[in-house]
Amino acid sequence: MTINNLPQKFLAVSLLLFAATAITAYFISIHFLWALLILVPLFVMGVQDMIQTDHAIRKTHPLLGRLRYFLESLRPAIRQYFIESDLDNTPFNRRKRSLIYQRAKKAKETVPFGTQLNIYDEGYEWMTHSTYPLDFDSIEQNPKVSVGGPDCKQPYDLSIFNISAMSFGSLSANAVMAMNKGAAKGGFAQNTGEGGVSPYHLSQGGDLIWQIGTGYFGCRADDGNFDPDKFAKTVDHPDIKMVEIKLSQGAKPGHGGILPAQKNTPEIAKIRGVQAGTDVLSPPYHKAFQGPEGLLQFVAQLRQLSKGRPVGFKLCIGSEIEFYDLCKAMVKTGIKPDFITIDGGEGGTGAAPVEFSDSLGMPLRDGLSFAVDTLRGFDLKKDIKVLAAGKISCGFDLAKTLALGADACYSARAMMMAVGCIQALECHTNKCPTGVATQDKQLMKGLYIPDKAERIYSFHKKTVHALVELLAAAGMKDPSELSRRHILRRISMSEVRRYDQLYPEIPIGCLLEGQEGCLPDLYRKEMLQYLENGSNYE
């Protein structure tokens, strides 16, 4: 059967089937006419395929071409449920997803018969334990860190594990409320994402970190610029504990946020101050400031407007020179953020162009170690807490991240899974089957807030519990005792390196003027070149 005559053969076969149905109904039984309930819709779809111009395969292969697209749509689910092994698939394999679900549902989470990992494969990592472990019950079960530098009047005790930035709009109202209710019960914080502070964020009493993006949603003037009065009015809510300026995110650094038109309901448009039913594309840059000193002045302004709440900024590390310059500006002006959030290039819950998601942004381990070392080199780390985000979903992920120098961690996708996400990868289509990432009220109904809130609470509690057990096994009483020497990574079958060898630390203050000579030889070539050639910032 050639491509050229397939449509004609479709018409011929259709006419033969209609004729056969009519003849059979006339001579044998009238009940055979029920076959038309199937034949007529199939014929109509075939004719539609023949006259449409969008898809060549449907036009040249009526019905068969449509079947091809249907089978393609089933491929991810078939692979996920029937083909992949426990250690296959990305971004989260079945083993990771199962652990999240088990902890969220308070189900059995132990595994039998030893590890499934090949511990001699390149990339395998583990943590050193002590011959003299501590009593688990003697350690603080929900460790927190105080966020607030010298200029902060309202420091906040932040859990070491929190809900990362996800906006109402990207998430459904039910998902936002379930997360916030779980955070309230567990004593940890929820980041609002750049979509603004919605009524759903404020309805359950959970602590909030208000993220201010380039669209300034929630503090947006009519012309799209930052409005100080709107900011001051919104931030003056007791549930808003910290403010985070979003410079960039791991999923799409250098690219503004994207809210597809089908998810931009009138309610969301009102909260954000935009037109409903349109694509909401945030600018890739801030209009409220320019350059490193401008950013720091904006930090100081928000701190003053928020009556001394902790204010920081979030970024995915790109140009190392620009981060050096930012630290140099902190030293020059004396203005320091209370915290800096480092987002890894592997992170991201929102929709992003493939090139940005796959090929832009420094991965978390590299970006985090670089940022912490640079802050330490300029003697700034003592006043600035560092938060980190990037595929953190279990106690060992927390341990590795804290060992690299983070003071606390965020998680987005793991929290989505705890609230019901099945990694269907439909987040950007408004057709999320579990009601987590959709504004379809029918789909949203399946997400029962009290039950899912309990799952968020349980997942957080059990994940932090796992970290505390690791600390006890390593003979440590507090997460702050974790260092790079406690984590090892196999770089080949016969070679192992500690994190302090892969990411060598630098002495405190060694980047300050007049102290450059104390840099260790192993440190990054780029930093040495920076000191030799000078910076872009004057």
Side-chain angles (χ1 to χ4, degrees):
M1 188 178 291
T2 64
I3 291 178
N4 291 333
N5 62 12
L6 269 176
Q8 290 86 345
K9 290 193 174 184
F10 165 76
L11 292 174
V13 170
S14 298
L15 291 175
L16 285 174
L17 288 173
F18 282 129
T21 301
I23 293 170
T24 306
Y26 181 80
F27 287 105
I28 300 177
S29 171
I30 194 67
H31 295 297
F32 277 94
L33 291 178
W34 286 106
L36 295 176
L37 292 177
I38 298 174
L39 294 177
V40 170
L42 289 176
F43 178 74
V44 171
M45 286 191 290
V47 172
Q48 288 177 338
D49 289 341
M50 292 167 58
I51 62 177
Q52 59 84 37
T53 57
D54 292 334
H55 301 282
I57 194 169
R58 283 174 54 196
K59 191 174 187 68
T60 56
H61 296 72
L63 287 187
L64 291 176
R66 188 185 293 257
L67 180 63
R68 180 259 185 194
Y69 290 106
F70 173 72
L71 293 175
E72 186 179 49
S73 70
L74 294 179
R75 180 180 179 275
I78 292 173
R79 178 177 176 80
Q80 180 176 359
Y81 292 112
F82 301 108
I83 298 175
E84 71 177 40
S85 75
D86 287 350
L87 304 179
D88 285 340
N89 207 10
T90 56
F92 289 83
N93 62 41
R94 180 177 292 276
R95 186 182 179 91
K96 284 274 190 179
R97 297 197 308 271
S98 296
L99 180 62
I100 295 168
Y101 299 143
Q102 288 159 358
R103 286 181 170 164
K105 298 176 183 179
K106 302 178 183 178
K108 183 179 291 188
E109 58 187 79
T110 54
V111 293
F113 230 62
T115 181
Q116 295 183 32
L117 301 173
N118 185 341
I119 61 177
Y120 295 101
D121 271 353
E122 180 181 335
Y124 175 72
E125 296 178 326
W126 70 95
M127 179 174 168
T128 59
H129 66 280
S130 173
T131 308
Y132 313 102
L134 301 180
D135 179 5
F136 169 77
D137 293 327
S138 68
I139 301 176
E140 171 59 45
Q141 301 298 298
N142 189 13
K144 296 190 176 185
V145 59
S146 179
V147 181
D151 298 322
C152 177
K153 297 178 181 178
Q154 299 186 52
Y156 174 61
D157 288 337
L158 178 71
S159 171
I160 58 168
F161 192 40
N162 304 278
I163 301 172
S164 194
M166 293 179 285
S167 304
F168 169 58
S170 297
L171 296 185
S172 68
N174 287 19
V176 169
M177 288 190 285
M179 289 182 182
N180 194 259
K181 188 178 180 70
K185 182 175 180 180
F188 53 102
Q190 177 186 25
N191 190 305
T192 65
E194 66 174 296
V197 181
S198 73
Y200 307 109
H201 287 108
L202 300 171
S203 66
Q204 306 298 319
D207 291 346
L208 295 174
I209 301 170
W210 181 16
Q211 186 181 89
I212 309 295
T214 56
Y216 304 115
F217 302 126
C219 53
R220 178 185 177 95
D222 293 338
D223 61 0
N225 290 316
F226 173 71
D227 187 321
D229 294 331
K230 286 184 179 179
F231 172 83
K233 182 179 179 181
T234 301
V235 80
D236 195 29
H237 191 286
D239 290 348
I240 298 176
K241 305 298 184 182
M242 294 166 49
V243 178
E244 180 181 85
I245 304 164
K246 175 188 167 185
L247 303 180
S248 60
Q249 67 184 94
K252 45 181 180 288
H255 196 292
I258 303 171
L259 182 70
Q262 62 265 35
K263 298 179 76 172
N264 183 18
T265 65
E267 179 183 32
I268 292 169
K270 183 178 179 181
I271 292 170
R272 297 194 178 199
V274 297
Q275 183 178 349
T278 61
D279 289 330
V280 182
L281 307 176
S282 301
Y285 57 89
H286 278 269
K287 299 178 182 178
F289 58 85
Q290 289 184 338
E293 285 196 29
L295 169 58
L296 297 177
Q297 294 292 345
F298 191 55
V299 167
Q301 180 186 12
L302 296 191
R303 190 185 286 130
Q304 187 270 327
L305 290 171
S306 66
K307 300 179 181 179
R309 285 173 170 80
V311 177
F313 53 83
K314 167 185 174 179
L315 77 163
C316 177
I317 297 292
S319 167
E320 294 178 322
I321 293 296
E322 290 179 350
F323 194 78
Y324 302 150
D325 291 344
L326 182 54
C327 291
K328 196 172 180 180
M330 294 180 203
V331 174
K332 176 183 176 181
T333 64
I335 302 172
K336 306 168 190 173
D338 297 291
F339 66 95
I340 296 175
T341 300
I342 303 299
D343 199 12
E346 65 268 49
T349 56
V354 172
E355 291 84 356
F356 280 72
S357 183
D358 289 353
S359 308
L360 211 61
M362 193 178 291
L364 177 60
R365 284 196 295 260
D366 304 280
L368 175 60
S369 60
F370 163 75
V372 169
D373 286 340
T374 305
L375 290 171
R376 184 182 289 120
F378 281 98
D379 198 22
L380 296 166
K381 181 64 182 69
K382 62 182 185 296
D383 296 323
I384 301 172
K385 295 296 186 292
V386 176
L387 282 57
K391 291 188 73 173
I392 297 170
S393 62
C394 68
F396 184 52
D397 290 340
L398 287 173
K400 291 189 295 183
T401 308
L402 297 173
L404 282 170
D407 297 287
C409 300
Y410 277 132
S411 177
R413 286 170 289 185
M415 294 293 183
M416 289 176 67
M417 291 179 195
V419 89
C421 167
I422 59 172
Q423 197 171 281
L425 305 181
E426 297 281 357
C427 310
H428 60 303
T429 66
N430 204 36
K431 297 177 182 179
C432 170
T434 59
V436 176
T438 180
Q439 298 306 311
D440 187 316
K441 294 189 182 299
Q442 290 301 117
L443 294 171
M444 208 187 303
K445 285 180 180 179
L447 202 157
Y448 183 56
I449 295 169
D451 174 62
K452 303 303 184 183
E454 187 65 25
R455 292 189 183 188
I456 283 284
Y457 163 74
S458 176
F459 171 65
H460 174 272
K461 180 179 179 180
K462 285 179 172 289
T463 302
V464 174
H465 174 93
L467 170 68
V468 174
E469 284 194 318
L470 287 174
L471 292 175
M476 290 179 277
K477 290 187 175 182
D478 190 87
S480 63
E481 297 179 50
L482 275 166
S483 71
R484 300 178 191 185
R485 63 185 175 84
H486 292 112
I487 309 296
L488 295 94
R489 180 180 179 86
R490 185 174 294 284
I491 60 174
S492 73
M493 180 175 286
S494 59
E495 293 180 279
V496 173
R497 294 288 185 272
R498 297 190 310 268
Y499 267 19
D500 63 333
Q501 296 170 313
L502 295 171
Y503 309 100
E505 299 182 16
I506 66 173
I508 294 173
C510 70
L511 293 177
L512 292 172
E513 191 171 341
Q515 300 294 320
E516 292 89 344
C518 66
L519 270 175
D521 292 337
L522 288 173
Y523 203 62
R524 284 194 174 89
K525 178 175 64 176
E526 290 84 354
M527 188 173 284
L528 293 170
Q529 291 174 342
Y530 165 80
L531 294 171
E532 291 172 1
N533 302 328
S535 69
N536 301 322
Y537 168 73
E538 298 296 338

